[in-house]
Amino acid sequence: MNQSSPGRFVSVLVAGIVCGFLAVVVTIGHGSLLFSGELQGLMPIALGLALFSTTVMTIFAVLGGSKSDIIPIAQEIPIVAMVSIVSAVAAAIDPTVSGEARAATIFAAVAVTTMATALVTLILGYCRLGGLIRFAPYPVIAGFLTGTGWLILLGGISVTTNQTPSFSLLPQLLQPPLLLQFGLMIALVVVLFATERLFKNVFAVPAVLLAVLVIFNLVVLARGEGYEPFRAAGWLIRMPEAGKFWPPVRLSALASVDWYAVLHGMITLPIMIVITIVALLMNTTGIELHADRDMDLNQEMRSNGLMNLLVGLGGGLPGYSSVSLTLIIHQLNAVSRWVGVIVVVMMLSALWFGSVLIAAVPALLLGAVLVWVGGSLMYDWLVRARRRLDPFEYAVILLIALVIVLVSFPVGILVGLIAAIFLFAFQYGRVDIVRHELTGADWHTSGQVSGERQQLLRQHGAGIVIVRLQGFLFFGTADRLRKRVQDRMEDGGRFLLIDFHRVSGMDSSAVQSFIRLSQVASKREFTVILTGLSERLRQALIRNGLAIGAGSSVRIEPDLERGLRWSEDALLSELGAVLVPAEGWTLHSLLRAFLKRDTLATTIGAYCQKLDIAEGDPLIVQGGASSDIFFIESGTATVEMAGDGGISVSLATIGPGDAVGEISFYLHEPRTASIVARNALVAWRFSREDLERLASDLPEAAVGFHTAMAALLSRRLAVTNRLVGFLAD
């Protein structure tokens, strides 16, 4: 800290004192949540554990922390989650054992729980799994925070009245002396809520708490009887005989720990660990927002795991960084490690002179802080969240909160997770897994020089139904898809083409839906063509009994282009269309289909050169010169484009009767894709030099070629426009 700057010195001093004061008060309040009912006699132990925890954490932050604006404290959410473990351990202890042995067993259970949570946090951090918080269902998080708020609120009432909240407590609250204490506590809660919302200053709430503390001690001073009468009347928390909180149990008492009871209470430990880690990561993201900086979630988990491991060795309670204290430091522009040093000094004072210090803090102040914190959580996640959630998600929050209130915290979280799974399945089942749905009249294979083929497809292409899928197929979506496409085929569909290129996976229920679809296809006599299947999906379908090949209603093609070409050929064959010459494709028949004139085809054929392309060799190379047009006589080839990392992406398949390369030819631009022979390919080349010679020798023939090319490009543009218009709708 730069001592030459008085303003800076004052900011750091004030921030340290305010943060230290809040850390002590809030830590004591959080510690009071650990025990209730029959265990309230152990309250001093809980307060000692809480103060010890925050003391160790602040020392760790000062000595080993990388950020000087972070003040960790024992937190209420993991403490509330630990209550079920402590209660189970207490119930399993032999009632005949001594009070010291009972306290030692509970102390051991707290230590084991904290260390187990720390170890899991540490391991997850080193495994770089901090991002798991992004996958936590929002309604489940909101639900457990709502339930936590309720339990914290009940803890505040318990601290104030020194009794377990229940319906039987209601009549007593209307009778003195509880009426006065409870009424003052409620009044203070109202003041805290109003102060927080009316005054946007981080010192407003600490100022109210300090004022209540001063007023109470002035009243005690005016009475002149000391603190004991107030403690006897229930205005103060009962303290241990000694003047300090630590150690909470003697070391010799640890020999009497009932480890069976400790083990019995660990049944809810996994829930406790999950809740603590989720709360830690949520808190970290909150600091990211307030401090306006990115934080490494995995690093925070590693640091927090190590910190809580040290805390657990002393039997302390879990904790993590406090958002409110970080906000105070930033508001005062007091980011300095000296703030942490001041907080450490104040925490050590509270730990070693606990009863003297806490005697000056009225129970209603601690209770009001807890009720305020718990009420704020419930308001934020039960009231404000209603405006931004749909009814189903909000119902999950209500369900979790009600189960926590009426049954228990662990059961509420378990029910919430189950409800979230069903909610996810229901909502994801409503997501449309059909990316596009169109017909063969809208989408044709490219390359064909025959205008008659495209005209027939425009007229009869509705017999080909094309469905492009996306996402993950599971029981909530697959059967709905099956019924949808079956209904679509009722309108005279002959070929159902389903593309899986964008499908990430499917479960066994989805596989069975496609098996059922194949059975329906056999009865209704339409063909299902599956394209773009990964090997894993293909094997899953075949392994579950999907019949393919001869005599089957299902056909598998590598990609959409080849599946569509097969469907077009099969449809045109059923129509009796004879688009392939009887003698097969030759140069003359290719040019005649393209130019529509027999003599012109003969004339231009004299200017073409025959090419024999071996399997795997390129006919066109991406980026190469665009000086030729090619007419395919036999064989097939793949249109490929270089993707990221030099990996080629297959775009289309061409075959006999196709013409390629015409667009780049006329634009005089480099080739935009490669064409690679899939098997032996016979093509005819018509070059720009050939066209120039034709224009010089026979100008009318050149004009006829340009006219035919314009018609071909116009037909392809019309198909593309229809497709773009359809997909953009």
mmCIF file of all heavy atoms in Angstrom, residues 1 8 12 58-71 329 334-344:
data_model
loop_
_atom_site.group_PDB
_atom_site.id
_atom_site.type_symbol
_atom_site.label_atom_id
_atom_site.label_comp_id
_atom_site.label_asym_id
_atom_site.label_seq_id
_atom_site.Cartn_x
_atom_site.Cartn_y
_atom_site.Cartn_z
ATOM 1 N N MET A 1 0.846 -1.195 0.000
ATOM 2 C CA MET A 1 0.000 0.000 0.000
ATOM 3 C C MET A 1 0.878 1.240 0.000
ATOM 4 O O MET A 1 1.848 1.321 0.746
ATOM 5 C CB MET A 1 -0.910 -0.014 1.228
ATOM 6 C CG MET A 1 -1.878 1.150 1.283
ATOM 7 S SD MET A 1 -3.105 0.905 2.605
ATOM 8 C CE MET A 1 -2.055 0.762 4.037
ATOM 9 N N ARG A 8 -5.752 7.136 -0.481
ATOM 10 C CA ARG A 8 -5.664 5.699 -0.707
ATOM 11 C C ARG A 8 -5.615 4.952 0.619
ATOM 12 O O ARG A 8 -6.268 3.921 0.791
ATOM 13 C CB ARG A 8 -4.404 5.419 -1.531
ATOM 14 C CG ARG A 8 -4.028 3.968 -1.684
ATOM 15 C CD ARG A 8 -4.953 3.247 -2.622
ATOM 16 N NE ARG A 8 -4.430 1.937 -2.965
ATOM 17 C CZ ARG A 8 -5.131 0.992 -3.551
ATOM 18 N NH1 ARG A 8 -6.395 1.227 -3.872
ATOM 19 N NH2 ARG A 8 -4.592 -0.174 -3.834
ATOM 20 N N VAL A 12 -8.440 2.143 1.890
ATOM 21 C CA VAL A 12 -8.093 0.777 2.259
ATOM 22 C C VAL A 12 -8.479 0.494 3.707
ATOM 23 O O VAL A 12 -9.011 -0.576 4.035
ATOM 24 C CB VAL A 12 -6.587 0.532 2.031
ATOM 25 C CG1 VAL A 12 -6.156 -0.806 2.628
ATOM 26 C CG2 VAL A 12 -6.253 0.583 0.547
ATOM 27 N N THR A 58 -9.446 -16.319 5.007
ATOM 28 C CA THR A 58 -8.890 -14.984 4.774
ATOM 29 C C THR A 58 -7.365 -15.001 4.840
ATOM 30 O O THR A 58 -6.701 -14.296 4.081
ATOM 31 C CB THR A 58 -9.460 -13.985 5.796
ATOM 32 O OG1 THR A 58 -9.302 -14.506 7.129
ATOM 33 C CG2 THR A 58 -10.932 -13.720 5.546
ATOM 34 N N ILE A 59 -6.801 -15.812 5.746
ATOM 35 C CA ILE A 59 -5.342 -15.947 5.791
ATOM 36 C C ILE A 59 -4.838 -16.558 4.485
ATOM 37 O O ILE A 59 -3.826 -16.114 3.912
ATOM 38 C CB ILE A 59 -4.911 -16.813 6.993
ATOM 39 C CG1 ILE A 59 -5.211 -16.081 8.312
ATOM 40 C CG2 ILE A 59 -3.425 -17.163 6.913
ATOM 41 C CD1 ILE A 59 -4.960 -16.919 9.549
ATOM 42 N N PHE A 60 -5.536 -17.580 4.002
ATOM 43 C CA PHE A 60 -5.165 -18.214 2.742
ATOM 44 C C PHE A 60 -5.223 -17.207 1.595
ATOM 45 O O PHE A 60 -4.337 -17.167 0.738
ATOM 46 C CB PHE A 60 -6.109 -19.384 2.458
ATOM 47 C CG PHE A 60 -5.811 -20.125 1.182
ATOM 48 C CD1 PHE A 60 -4.923 -21.185 1.171
ATOM 49 C CD2 PHE A 60 -6.418 -19.759 -0.010
ATOM 50 C CE1 PHE A 60 -4.646 -21.873 0.000
ATOM 51 C CE2 PHE A 60 -6.147 -20.433 -1.189
ATOM 52 C CZ PHE A 60 -5.257 -21.496 -1.183
ATOM 53 N N ALA A 61 -6.279 -16.371 1.588
ATOM 54 C CA ALA A 61 -6.427 -15.379 0.518
ATOM 55 C C ALA A 61 -5.307 -14.351 0.564
ATOM 56 O O ALA A 61 -4.795 -13.918 -0.476
ATOM 57 C CB ALA A 61 -7.787 -14.692 0.632
ATOM 58 N N VAL A 62 -4.905 -13.945 1.766
ATOM 59 C CA VAL A 62 -3.852 -12.937 1.903
ATOM 60 C C VAL A 62 -2.490 -13.497 1.511
ATOM 61 O O VAL A 62 -1.714 -12.856 0.796
ATOM 62 C CB VAL A 62 -3.814 -12.388 3.343
ATOM 63 C CG1 VAL A 62 -2.572 -11.539 3.562
ATOM 64 C CG2 VAL A 62 -5.062 -11.569 3.622
ATOM 65 N N LEU A 63 -2.202 -14.719 1.962
ATOM 66 C CA LEU A 63 -0.874 -15.291 1.731
ATOM 67 C C LEU A 63 -0.735 -15.946 0.364
ATOM 68 O O LEU A 63 0.322 -15.863 -0.264
ATOM 69 C CB LEU A 63 -0.549 -16.324 2.821
ATOM 70 C CG LEU A 63 -0.465 -15.789 4.253
ATOM 71 C CD1 LEU A 63 -0.136 -16.913 5.215
ATOM 72 C CD2 LEU A 63 0.572 -14.678 4.349
ATOM 73 N N GLY A 64 -1.782 -16.617 -0.099
ATOM 74 C CA GLY A 64 -1.641 -17.392 -1.325
ATOM 75 C C GLY A 64 -2.541 -16.977 -2.459
ATOM 76 O O GLY A 64 -2.409 -17.475 -3.583
ATOM 77 N N GLY A 65 -3.477 -16.081 -2.205
ATOM 78 C CA GLY A 65 -4.407 -15.680 -3.254
ATOM 79 C C GLY A 65 -3.743 -14.799 -4.293
ATOM 80 O O GLY A 65 -2.837 -14.028 -3.994
ATOM 81 N N SER A 66 -4.199 -14.943 -5.533
ATOM 82 C CA SER A 66 -3.627 -14.140 -6.620
ATOM 83 C C SER A 66 -4.397 -12.849 -6.846
ATOM 84 O O SER A 66 -3.970 -11.998 -7.609
ATOM 85 C CB SER A 66 -3.618 -14.959 -7.921
ATOM 86 O OG SER A 66 -4.937 -15.354 -8.273
ATOM 87 N N LYS A 67 -5.543 -12.697 -6.178
ATOM 88 C CA LYS A 67 -6.390 -11.524 -6.394
ATOM 89 C C LYS A 67 -6.590 -10.816 -5.063
ATOM 90 O O LYS A 67 -7.016 -11.425 -4.081
ATOM 91 C CB LYS A 67 -7.735 -11.925 -7.003
ATOM 92 C CG LYS A 67 -7.575 -12.673 -8.335
ATOM 93 C CD LYS A 67 -8.917 -13.190 -8.824
ATOM 94 C CE LYS A 67 -8.729 -13.981 -10.107
ATOM 95 N NZ LYS A 67 -7.950 -15.227 -9.884
ATOM 96 N N SER A 68 -6.320 -9.531 -5.029
ATOM 97 C CA SER A 68 -6.377 -8.781 -3.777
ATOM 98 C C SER A 68 -7.747 -8.181 -3.513
ATOM 99 O O SER A 68 -7.909 -7.406 -2.566
ATOM 100 C CB SER A 68 -5.324 -7.659 -3.800
ATOM 101 O OG SER A 68 -5.460 -6.855 -4.961
ATOM 102 N N ASP A 69 -8.748 -8.508 -4.352
ATOM 103 C CA ASP A 69 -10.098 -8.003 -4.105
ATOM 104 C C ASP A 69 -11.037 -9.125 -3.685
ATOM 105 O O ASP A 69 -12.255 -8.943 -3.656
ATOM 106 C CB ASP A 69 -10.651 -7.311 -5.353
ATOM 107 C CG ASP A 69 -10.712 -8.242 -6.551
ATOM 108 O OD1 ASP A 69 -10.047 -9.287 -6.529
ATOM 109 O OD2 ASP A 69 -11.433 -7.914 -7.514
ATOM 110 N N ILE A 70 -10.485 -10.289 -3.356
ATOM 111 C CA ILE A 70 -11.286 -11.454 -3.002
ATOM 112 C C ILE A 70 -11.183 -11.719 -1.505
ATOM 113 O O ILE A 70 -10.086 -11.910 -0.969
ATOM 114 C CB ILE A 70 -10.834 -12.703 -3.787
ATOM 115 C CG1 ILE A 70 -11.029 -12.497 -5.283
ATOM 116 C CG2 ILE A 70 -11.576 -13.927 -3.304
ATOM 117 C CD1 ILE A 70 -12.460 -12.307 -5.711
ATOM 118 N N ILE A 71 -12.336 -11.726 -0.819
ATOM 119 C CA ILE A 71 -12.407 -12.060 0.598
ATOM 120 C C ILE A 71 -13.331 -13.268 0.733
ATOM 121 O O ILE A 71 -14.548 -13.149 0.576
ATOM 122 C CB ILE A 71 -12.953 -10.891 1.451
ATOM 123 C CG1 ILE A 71 -12.117 -9.628 1.248
ATOM 124 C CG2 ILE A 71 -12.999 -11.301 2.922
ATOM 125 C CD1 ILE A 71 -10.708 -9.730 1.742
ATOM 126 N N ILE A 329 -15.041 -3.506 -1.898
ATOM 127 C CA ILE A 329 -13.648 -3.160 -2.205
ATOM 128 C C ILE A 329 -13.563 -2.360 -3.498
ATOM 129 O O ILE A 329 -12.829 -1.368 -3.592
ATOM 130 C CB ILE A 329 -12.793 -4.446 -2.289
ATOM 131 C CG1 ILE A 329 -12.674 -5.085 -0.895
ATOM 132 C CG2 ILE A 329 -11.409 -4.148 -2.857
ATOM 133 C CD1 ILE A 329 -11.995 -6.441 -0.901
ATOM 134 N N ALA A 334 -10.383 0.245 -3.423
ATOM 135 C CA ALA A 334 -9.413 -0.149 -2.396
ATOM 136 C C ALA A 334 -8.886 -1.552 -2.652
ATOM 137 O O ALA A 334 -8.770 -2.368 -1.730
ATOM 138 C CB ALA A 334 -10.064 -0.076 -1.014
ATOM 139 N N VAL A 335 -8.585 -1.849 -3.908
ATOM 140 C CA VAL A 335 -8.044 -3.171 -4.249
ATOM 141 C C VAL A 335 -6.617 -3.250 -3.721
ATOM 142 O O VAL A 335 -5.687 -2.714 -4.319
ATOM 143 C CB VAL A 335 -8.088 -3.408 -5.774
ATOM 144 C CG1 VAL A 335 -7.483 -4.769 -6.105
ATOM 145 C CG2 VAL A 335 -9.509 -3.306 -6.285
ATOM 146 N N SER A 336 -6.466 -3.885 -2.575
ATOM 147 C CA SER A 336 -5.166 -3.980 -1.923
ATOM 148 C C SER A 336 -5.161 -5.188 -1.002
ATOM 149 O O SER A 336 -6.182 -5.517 -0.375
ATOM 150 C CB SER A 336 -4.874 -2.710 -1.114
ATOM 151 O OG SER A 336 -3.732 -2.891 -0.299
ATOM 152 N N ARG A 337 -4.013 -5.838 -0.908
ATOM 153 C CA ARG A 337 -3.902 -6.982 -0.017
ATOM 154 C C ARG A 337 -4.013 -6.562 1.451
ATOM 155 O O ARG A 337 -4.324 -7.391 2.312
ATOM 156 C CB ARG A 337 -2.577 -7.700 -0.268
ATOM 157 C CG ARG A 337 -2.571 -9.161 0.159
ATOM 158 C CD ARG A 337 -1.336 -9.883 -0.351
ATOM 159 N NE ARG A 337 -1.301 -9.921 -1.794
ATOM 160 C CZ ARG A 337 -1.932 -10.825 -2.532
ATOM 161 N NH1 ARG A 337 -2.666 -11.748 -1.934
ATOM 162 N NH2 ARG A 337 -1.838 -10.821 -3.841
ATOM 163 N N TRP A 338 -3.822 -5.278 1.723
ATOM 164 C CA TRP A 338 -3.948 -4.792 3.108
ATOM 165 C C TRP A 338 -5.382 -4.862 3.613
ATOM 166 O O TRP A 338 -5.611 -4.956 4.822
ATOM 167 C CB TRP A 338 -3.410 -3.367 3.226
ATOM 168 C CG TRP A 338 -1.907 -3.330 3.207
ATOM 169 C CD1 TRP A 338 -1.098 -3.018 2.150
ATOM 170 C CD2 TRP A 338 -1.039 -3.650 4.296
ATOM 171 N NE1 TRP A 338 0.219 -3.118 2.506
ATOM 172 C CE2 TRP A 338 0.296 -3.499 3.827
ATOM 173 C CE3 TRP A 338 -1.242 -4.045 5.615
ATOM 174 C CZ2 TRP A 338 1.395 -3.734 4.636
ATOM 175 C CZ3 TRP A 338 -0.133 -4.287 6.424
ATOM 176 C CH2 TRP A 338 1.161 -4.125 5.934
ATOM 177 N N VAL A 339 -6.357 -4.799 2.700
ATOM 178 C CA VAL A 339 -7.753 -4.979 3.120
ATOM 179 C C VAL A 339 -7.912 -6.363 3.733
ATOM 180 O O VAL A 339 -8.534 -6.536 4.798
ATOM 181 C CB VAL A 339 -8.709 -4.801 1.918
ATOM 182 C CG1 VAL A 339 -10.141 -5.152 2.312
ATOM 183 C CG2 VAL A 339 -8.640 -3.388 1.379
ATOM 184 N N GLY A 340 -7.355 -7.382 3.070
ATOM 185 C CA GLY A 340 -7.408 -8.737 3.612
ATOM 186 C C GLY A 340 -6.695 -8.862 4.937
ATOM 187 O O GLY A 340 -7.143 -9.596 5.832
ATOM 188 N N VAL A 341 -5.572 -8.145 5.090
ATOM 189 C CA VAL A 341 -4.839 -8.190 6.361
ATOM 190 C C VAL A 341 -5.702 -7.660 7.501
ATOM 191 O O VAL A 341 -5.751 -8.241 8.602
ATOM 192 C CB VAL A 341 -3.531 -7.385 6.247
ATOM 193 C CG1 VAL A 341 -2.859 -7.265 7.616
ATOM 194 C CG2 VAL A 341 -2.581 -8.033 5.240
ATOM 195 N N ILE A 342 -6.404 -6.558 7.253
ATOM 196 C CA ILE A 342 -7.284 -5.985 8.291
ATOM 197 C C ILE A 342 -8.396 -6.963 8.640
ATOM 198 O O ILE A 342 -8.744 -7.153 9.819
ATOM 199 C CB ILE A 342 -7.862 -4.640 7.805
ATOM 200 C CG1 ILE A 342 -6.729 -3.626 7.602
ATOM 201 C CG2 ILE A 342 -8.897 -4.108 8.789
ATOM 202 C CD1 ILE A 342 -7.168 -2.320 6.957
ATOM 203 N N VAL A 343 -8.980 -7.611 7.614
ATOM 204 C CA VAL A 343 -10.045 -8.589 7.855
ATOM 205 C C VAL A 343 -9.503 -9.753 8.679
ATOM 206 O O VAL A 343 -10.177 -10.244 9.600
ATOM 207 C CB VAL A 343 -10.633 -9.088 6.517
ATOM 208 C CG1 VAL A 343 -11.642 -10.214 6.758
ATOM 209 C CG2 VAL A 343 -11.295 -7.952 5.761
ATOM 210 N N VAL A 344 -8.278 -10.212 8.382
ATOM 211 C CA VAL A 344 -7.677 -11.315 9.142
ATOM 212 C C VAL A 344 -7.536 -10.936 10.611
ATOM 213 O O VAL A 344 -7.855 -11.738 11.510
ATOM 214 C CB VAL A 344 -6.298 -11.689 8.542
ATOM 215 C CG1 VAL A 344 -5.533 -12.605 9.499
ATOM 216 C CG2 VAL A 344 -6.461 -12.361 7.188
#
